[in-house]
Amino acid sequence: MNTQVDMKQREVVLVEDAHVRPMMGLDVLESLPAWGIPYALVDPYILVHEGVMPITPEWASQDTEHPHRGFDNLWYVIAGSASTGHSTGPDGTMERARLHAGSLLKIRTGRGVRHAEGIGQDEVREGKSGEMRSVLFWVNLARKDKNVAPTAQVIDPQDVPVRREGDAVVRVLVGEGSQVELGTPGLILDVELPHGGAFSSPISPDFNGFAYLLEGKASFGANRSRASRAQIALLGPGDGLTVVDAVPGTRFLLMAGKPYGEAPIYNGPYVD
């Protein structure tokens, strides 16, 4: 006998514009943290930034290196490419990574790391210039894990699982098939609808979740709330998300995770 279990579709409880924030001399779009969104509703996600970074001799010569601790720092490249350094080598030495469109850099900052060293220096030495568009995520670590040794992991574009689901091209940054693990069960999908249409995905009912629009517009959730470029759509409870009426070229990040239930303590670039 077959038993069909219907998913309880999540509704969108809030749609909010990302705000512009200066960061390392650039203006970035900050969707999290947001005044209208309590951390408890997006736990374990602390911060989401989208920005475009120049790859030029002037920018590569700037001192962009800075410290962090207490969370997972994920840097996902949407377009372009850049090199960068972080102090995860032996005895805290700098090691460099080359990131291309579709690459994901995960740094577990743990008890302390320095990163963003010499952004674009390798390209400039090769006579290249341009810009890189990327999204940065801070994902909290449990308080018991905040003193672990820092590590870095680079996932090249060809190693990110990609699947077709109806109208959508789905890249799995975190989730089934991905090499990347957070400190808590989680899901990060890059969903692209080149010709528009619809998309649906299960989401564990014990996860918080939200979507961030990179391009286009679509209707999210059971209540079909409309969200567009540079907006965050906060999801309510349930075990599935449906997206419909997407215009051609719509692209969004679906982010979800099991909350820790621990309020982060902010101290500048550190999260204790």
Side-chain angles (χ1 to χ4, degrees), residues 12-272:
V12 170
V13 298
L14 177 71
V15 174
E16 185 164 315
D17 293 331
H19 55 276
V20 176
R21 174 178 175 174
M23 182 67 61
M24 295 197 308
L26 302 172
D27 286 339
V28 302
L29 289 169
E30 182 175 81
S31 52
L32 286 180
W35 287 111
I37 302 178
Y39 172 72
L41 299 183
V42 292
D43 179 2
Y45 293 90
I46 297 169
L47 175 147
V48 179
H49 281 178
E50 179 193 352
V52 176
M53 188 170 294
I55 305 302
T56 63
E58 294 77 17
W59 179 255
S61 66
Q62 292 192 33
D63 181 13
T64 53
E65 181 187 325
H66 57 277
H68 286 304
R69 71 167 181 252
F71 57 91
D72 283 335
N73 184 303
L74 277 68
W75 196 8
Y76 180 49
V77 181
I78 303 299
S81 62
S83 53
T84 185
H86 30 268
S87 62
T88 52
D91 299 319
T93 56
M94 285 288 176
E95 54 183 2
R96 293 191 64 77
R98 296 291 289 261
L99 307 176
H100 306 279
S103 294
L104 178 66
L105 169 62
K106 174 199 166 188
I107 298 177
R108 176 151 291 174
T109 65
R111 59 175 173 258
V113 72
R114 299 189 67 83
H115 86 132
E117 181 245 7
I119 298 174
Q121 283 184 358
D122 297 4
E123 289 77 11
V124 168
R125 275 195 293 266
E126 296 168 359
K128 300 175 183 177
S129 62
E131 59 184 25
M132 180 186 71
R133 181 185 178 196
S134 62
V135 179
L136 179 71
F137 317 93
W138 290 10
V139 189
N140 203 11
L141 288 172
R143 199 150 279 126
K144 65 181 180 60
D145 296 328
K146 288 182 181 287
N147 201 38
V148 298
T151 57
Q153 179 184 16
V154 178
I155 308 299
D156 293 322
Q158 66 270 20
D159 296 323
V160 174
V162 182
R163 59 179 186 256
R164 289 298 301 255
E165 293 186 8
D167 300 322
V169 178
V170 182
R171 298 172 179 87
V172 184
L173 307 184
V174 175
E176 185 176 356
S178 170
Q179 301 176 35
V180 176
E181 292 187 4
L182 305 175
T184 186
L187 178 71
I188 303 179
L189 303 180
D190 176 0
V191 181
E192 193 167 4
L193 294 150
H195 305 292
F199 167 78
S200 63
S201 176
I203 301 174
S204 179
D206 58 349
F207 284 11
N208 287 327
F210 58 94
Y212 175 70
L213 271 290
L214 294 168
E215 304 290 351
K217 61 180 68 174
S219 298
F220 287 78
N223 53 342
R224 299 198 173 190
S225 291
R226 202 70 172 161
S228 58
R229 168 84 180 98
Q231 289 187 318
I232 183 173
L234 180 64
L235 305 177
D239 53 13
L241 171 67
T242 296
V243 180
V244 298
D245 300 329
V247 302
T250 293
R251 186 176 183 182
F252 63 90
L253 296 170
L254 173 59
M255 289 165 271
K258 186 174 182 179
Y260 291 111
E262 299 175 349
I265 301 170
Y266 301 108
N267 180 16
Y270 308 128
V271 181
D272 298 323

